[in-house]
Amino acid sequence: MTDNIDQSFEGIEQVPLSQFTEKAYLDYSMYVILDRALPNIGDGLKPVQRRIVYAMSELGLSAGAKFKKSARTVGDVLGKFHPHGDTACYEAMVLMAQRFSYRYPLVDGQGNWGSPDDPKSFAAMRYTESKLTAYAQLLLAELGQGTVDWTPNFDGTLREPSILPARLPNVLLNGTSGIAVGMATDIPPHNLREVTDACIHLLESPKASLADLMRHVHGPDYPTEAEIITPADELTKLYQSGHGSIRMRACYERENGDIIVTALPHQVSGAKVLEQIAAQMQAKKLPMVEDLRDESDHENPTRLVIVPRSNRVDVERVMSHLFATTDLERTYRVNINLIGIDGRPSVKDLLTLLKEWLSFRTETVRRRLQHRLDQVLERLHILQGLMIAYLNIDEVIAIIRYEEEPKAELMKRFSLSELQAEAILNLRLRHLAKLEEMKIRGEQDELEKERESLQLILGSKQRLRTLIRKELKADAEQYGDERRSPIVERASAEALAETDLTPSEAVTVVLSEKGWARTAKGHDIDPVTLNYRAGDGFLAAARLRSNQQAVFIDSNGRSYSLPAHTLPSARSQGEPLTGRLSPATGATFRAVVSGEARGEFLLASDAGYGFRVGSADMLAKNKSGKALLSLPKGAHVLPPAAVTDPELDRVVAISNEGRMLVFPVSELPRLARGKGNKIIAIPPKRVAVREEFVVALAVVPRTGSLTAHAGKRYIVLKPSDLDGYQSERGRRGAKLPRGFQRVDRVAVN
């Protein structure tokens, strides 16, 4: 059977698959770009929007007409001009009717057309009714005046306008957004009066610069009272390049101690904002806010109430945090990408866009005037023939009555055109009265004046510009309004740090010998009396605030930091620090201190070297810690000693040989890291095992005393006693009294 099959492929076009797919995809992408996603510079509409507006005008749904079911409009749009999905078509119609989405709505809706909280909550098209707004007349008023080209609809049975003759630059007034293939557009809305003033200025001064135009167009104007906080230089760059971003921030005011949000950024849901704030409250990341309420109603479309925990809360700081972490402040992308008068998509700056639109408007007005002039000339031509007929009425009647071809005879006898002869033959008998001759002469005079006026305007570019300027001013007065989105300079929003969000409470961080940590409330607890795991016991404690960092130091001289409030409660036995930090193998945690920003500590090794270090320099950013104290070989870390007054405090260093040295703490340098300077002289070791090392280190205030413990015995050294041991830094020090030369710990009084 296969022998009978024709395999010659004669008459079949053969194309490589790569070439076919490339052409098919390019055709598709061009369709999406030109006929679906991008607006035209002339009327600022996408094809579906243009067809909706035109179909509604054809249905007689002007601003003064009665409302009709939206399903009627959608049916006409789909059946006559736009054979696509009804849902997408209706959504496009809804967008043009939402006053919170469109700056100057084109559709006047009756029924449920969505809400700012949920723009997609509109009712089905069988329930809603609609008609055009008065503003839509700016797009349609000149449609039947020869101003635009007409194209066949999808099935060739009707004709539709390829573009609407917009009297104002709707592409800037309402803006639009869309995603095509390989490109997108995001054009923000603008104020009608500002844009019109810029157009008039450009008509009067064709060589005007962008800076001149921006004296009129201050920035976008969204359908919300929220503030535009984009700096002026960024707005200038945006209009220079055609792309950038706009930042909007909600407006708020104080009322009886509460924070009242009165305006939200464009297309931001108040319900979503409250959810975002509530989520932070539940996560205990917003302790300064006590309650939230939504009191929005018809009189106050946006009224969100934020109740601070007390009147001591810094409202400006809280709102700055909310601006940074919620939709109370939002950034909008701007990409002024549209189809120009050359039919090509491109990103345009403000100056180029307005020049091109004025070129479109000039051509539209010229076509309108030429169309009217042609009508006037045609009517004058007909009136001229009618006057000939009235002046020779008896002969005309005789020709019509007796001639077989009266039209040809009239043309021959009175040198009439076919149009004039046809008009004479179409006259009714009632129009043969003498009074009609006077009406014709009056109409001729009026039309002659109009003809002269039209010819003067068409023959002069200056007169044409003057006419366009007058029309722009008249439309701005009729449809313009005040700016809704104020442009304000504001400081950048800044989220609160985790420490700022944590309540400041007195806590004690306890570190055990085995490296377990926990936090107890208050500073008056005795950490030694807490319960510890078997084989474990108390090692160190630090008294600080819950919103501060606890700094841990290990046996290798590395520091680690953790927020104090994140450690487990002292009611438990804590948790091992190795579960949250990553010390080196074999390293053990030896101390814990407060990470208070203005704190200062003396950090040293038992080899007799050390330095002063600020708390901020001890904080580590990662789990592996930060190299802080460099240890000589065989040396160990001593517990840090807090410095209260670097000018008056004294360092007390005691070695295992019973030698004690006292000197001012100011003699030690303040470093961020390192080995430090010599505190007390330790003789070099002569055998493998160290013979002498530092066993106790303390920082004593000028008026403070020191208690030195040697087993069960202790000695209290008053300031005057310490004076006897004071010498220069780095000396050997003097011997303590007999019986106290084996000091194992000291306490500052």
Side-chain angles (χ1 to χ4, degrees):
M1 291 179 65
T2 56
D3 295 339
N4 298 327
I5 297 176
D6 182 11
Q7 297 184 356
S8 64
F9 300 107
E10 185 176 350
I12 298 175
E13 181 181 3
Q14 298 187 47
V15 180
L17 182 61
S18 60
Q19 182 180 336
F20 171 79
T21 53
E22 180 181 358
K23 182 179 183 302
Y25 191 72
L26 282 174
D27 290 345
Y28 165 73
S29 62
M30 288 304 295
Y31 163 75
V32 172
I33 291 169
L34 299 177
D35 289 333
R36 186 186 298 178
L38 298 190
N40 192 291
I41 192 172
D43 56 13
L45 300 177
K46 301 176 187 179
V48 63
Q49 296 171 326
R50 185 179 302 118
R51 287 162 177 165
I52 290 171
V53 172
Y54 176 65
M56 293 183 75
S57 71
E58 289 295 287
L59 284 170
L61 296 176
S62 62
K66 292 182 179 180
F67 287 94
K68 281 188 179 178
K69 286 290 184 183
S70 301
R72 174 72 184 277
T73 298
V74 173
D76 265 32
V77 173
L78 300 185
K80 294 180 179 179
F81 310 112
H82 197 73
H84 295 275
D86 59 339
T87 302
C89 179
Y90 182 50
E91 286 188 5
M93 182 178 175
V94 168
L95 184 67
M96 293 190 291
Q98 291 178 338
R99 298 190 177 276
F100 51 85
S101 296
Y102 244 50
R103 183 64 178 83
Y104 300 97
L106 298 174
V107 176
D108 186 4
Q110 186 169 267
N112 178 13
W113 289 81
S115 66
D117 275 345
D118 188 5
K120 298 284 188 181
S121 63
F122 51 84
M125 57 185 167
R126 62 181 176 273
Y127 299 120
T128 61
E129 297 178 339
S130 57
K131 61 180 180 179
L132 292 171
T133 61
Y135 173 83
Q137 286 303 306
L138 289 173
L139 305 176
L140 298 164
E142 301 174 357
L143 190 57
Q145 301 178 23
T147 51
V148 296
D149 296 327
W150 294 74
T151 57
N153 69 337
F154 65 90
D155 60 2
T157 58
L158 296 169
R159 296 177 69 79
E160 61 177 315
S162 58
I163 194 172
L164 297 181
R167 294 171 61 92
L168 290 175
N170 184 62
V171 68
L172 276 180
L173 302 185
N174 273 320
T176 191
S177 62
I179 301 175
V181 178
M183 61 179 62
T185 183
D186 287 282
I187 305 175
H190 291 75
N191 184 268
L192 190 150
R193 289 178 181 170
E194 292 182 6
V195 173
T196 304
D197 288 344
C199 290
I200 292 172
H201 181 79
L202 198 55
L203 277 173
E204 296 172 344
S205 306
K207 294 184 179 180
S209 65
L210 177 66
D212 297 331
L213 296 184
M214 289 197 65
R215 294 192 185 100
H216 303 283
V217 180
H218 303 122
D221 186 21
Y222 292 88
T224 173
E225 286 74 24
E227 298 173 345
I228 295 175
I229 61 170
T230 306
D233 57 339
E234 290 187 24
L235 288 174
T236 302
K237 291 178 182 178
L238 185 155
Y239 287 121
Q240 280 177 341
S241 62
H243 54 78
S245 62
I246 296 291
R247 290 202 306 279
M248 290 197 80
R249 180 177 290 183
C251 296
Y252 71 94
E253 57 190 34
R254 300 294 302 277
E255 184 179 298
N256 299 325
D258 295 341
I259 304 169
I260 312 296
V261 178
T262 58
L264 294 171
H266 183 48
Q267 292 181 332
V268 167
S269 164
K272 183 178 179 183
V273 169
L274 291 180
E275 286 179 12
Q276 292 173 333
I277 300 175
Q280 293 191 36
M281 293 172 65
Q282 291 174 357
K284 297 183 178 180
K285 293 183 178 180
L286 206 59
M288 58 283 295
V289 175
E290 183 177 19
D291 191 19
L292 297 174
R293 293 195 305 274
D294 187 354
E295 297 181 355
S296 306
D297 53 26
H298 290 292
E299 293 183 2
N300 302 289
T302 301
R303 184 179 169 84
L304 308 181
V305 182
I306 303 172
V307 183
R309 188 168 294 276
S310 72
N311 56 9
R312 296 189 302 274
V313 170
D314 187 347
V315 172
E316 298 292 334
R317 194 80 180 86
V318 171
M319 291 306 296
S320 179
H321 170 77
L322 293 178
F323 289 143
T325 58
T326 70
D327 285 344
L328 286 175
E329 181 175 319
R330 178 179 280 190
T331 300
Y332 301 87
R333 191 170 69 100
V334 176
N335 185 27
I336 308 178
N337 189 8
L338 41 76
I339 301 171
I341 55 176
D342 58 357
R344 296 174 178 271
S346 63
V347 177
K348 300 186 185 297
D349 60 273
L350 180 65
L351 183 61
T352 303
L353 189 153
L354 290 182
K355 280 185 175 180
E356 284 200 22
W357 184 84
L358 284 174
S359 175
F360 162 81
R361 180 60 187 161
T362 302
E363 178 61 19
T364 301
V365 174
R366 189 198 64 76
R367 290 181 64 168
R368 186 190 80 201
L369 296 176
Q370 186 62 52
H371 178 74
R372 178 57 184 163
L373 179 61
D374 293 342
Q375 287 180 326
V376 169
L377 292 175
E378 181 181 339
R379 182 61 181 166
L380 284 172
H381 181 64
I382 291 174
L383 291 176
Q384 184 181 8
L386 293 178
M387 281 302 300
I388 293 173
Y390 279 118
L391 294 173
N392 301 276
I393 190 65
D394 294 335
E395 189 174 354
V396 168
I397 292 174
I399 291 174
I400 294 174
R401 185 175 184 183
Y402 298 110
E403 293 292 334
E404 291 183 1
E405 295 183 1
K407 183 176 179 180
E409 186 62 28
L410 286 172
M411 294 171 62
K412 178 180 178 182
R413 171 68 183 82
F414 299 108
S415 301
L416 301 174
S417 68
E418 185 175 353
L419 185 63
Q420 290 173 323
E422 190 68 34
I424 292 171
L425 291 173
N426 289 334
L427 277 175
R428 295 182 179 182
L429 289 176
R430 70 170 65 176
H431 292 157
L432 299 178
K434 183 67 176 175
L435 189 61
E436 287 297 323
E437 180 182 343
M438 298 173 63
K439 290 182 179 179
I440 290 174
R441 292 188 183 279
E443 187 179 353
Q444 277 183 321
D445 292 341
E446 291 180 4
L447 291 177
E448 284 290 345
K449 292 178 182 177
E450 187 178 355
R451 177 182 62 81
E452 291 178 6
S453 174
L454 291 171
Q455 288 176 338
L456 281 174
I457 295 173
L458 286 169
S460 169
K461 291 183 178 179
Q462 183 59 42
R463 290 177 185 269
L464 188 59
R465 283 198 295 267
T466 301
L467 175 63
I468 295 172
R469 186 172 66 249
K470 287 181 179 178
E471 291 179 350
L472 288 173
K473 283 185 177 179
D475 291 337
E477 289 178 4
Q478 183 175 358
Y479 299 102
D481 57 3
E482 296 297 326
R483 166 175 281 277
R484 292 187 62 184
S485 302
I487 300 177
V488 185
E489 288 190 11
R490 299 288 187 195
S492 298
E494 184 178 351
L496 292 169
E498 188 175 2
T499 54
D500 297 328
L501 294 171
T502 305
S504 179
E505 299 173 345
V507 294
T508 301
V509 176
V510 181
L511 176 66
S512 75
E513 295 173 350
K514 300 294 185 181
W516 286 56
R518 47 185 156 167
T519 300
K521 289 186 178 181
H523 287 169
D524 55 352
I525 69 155
D526 183 1
V528 179
T529 61
L530 295 176
N531 289 326
Y532 293 89
R533 297 166 63 249
D536 200 358
F538 170 74
L539 176 64
R543 291 175 172 82
L544 62 161
R545 311 296 295 183
S546 58
N547 60 348
Q548 294 175 349
Q549 299 276 329
V551 177
F552 300 91
I553 298 173
D554 72 2
S555 56
N556 289 341
R558 297 183 71 85
S559 64
Y560 308 79
S561 54
L562 290 174
H565 71 277
T566 64
L567 295 172
S569 169
R571 294 190 186 96
S572 66
Q573 293 178 340
E575 65 173 303
L577 289 176
T578 51
R580 299 176 61 178
L581 303 174
S582 302
T585 304
T588 57
F589 291 99
R590 305 308 306 153
V592 58
V593 296
S594 168
E596 193 234 335
R598 294 185 297 274
E600 184 173 300
F601 292 89
L602 171 59
L603 197 61
S605 66
D606 63 358
Y609 289 87
F611 57 92
R612 291 155 47 209
V613 61
S615 297
D617 294 323
M618 301 171 74
L619 299 178
K621 296 181 179 180
N622 48 51
K623 295 171 63 176
S624 59
K626 171 185 178 181
L628 190 63
L629 178 64
S630 299
L631 297 174
K633 186 176 181 180
H636 300 290
V637 176
L638 292 174
V643 178
T644 56
D645 189 341
E647 299 299 324
L648 298 178
D649 289 355
R650 293 188 288 182
V651 177
V652 178
I654 303 175
S655 73
N656 62 330
E657 293 294 331
R659 289 187 173 274
M660 185 170 80
L661 176 67
V662 179
F663 63 89
V665 74
S666 58
E667 293 186 12
L668 283 174
R670 176 163 171 159
L671 305 174
R673 62 197 301 177
K675 176 182 176 181
N677 289 13
K678 183 182 289 186
I679 295 175
I680 185 171
I682 302 292
K685 62 182 181 179
R686 296 186 297 272
V687 293
V689 179
R690 292 191 302 167
E691 297 175 345
E692 189 175 348
F693 50 87
V694 178
V695 293
L697 188 71
V699 176
V700 183
R702 187 66 186 175
T703 58
S705 61
L706 183 77
T707 301
H709 294 265
K712 294 182 179 181
R713 302 177 66 186
Y714 67 90
I715 183 174
V716 177
L717 300 171
K718 298 178 180 179
S720 58
D721 299 327
L722 295 176
D723 291 342
Y725 292 90
Q726 185 159 337
S727 182
E728 295 179 1
R729 178 185 60 81
R731 295 297 182 91
R732 284 282 290 147
K735 279 275 190 177
L736 285 165
R738 185 180 298 274
F740 294 98
Q741 296 179 359
R742 295 296 178 184
V743 173
D744 50 33
R745 60 189 175 91
V746 295
V748 179
N749 305 315

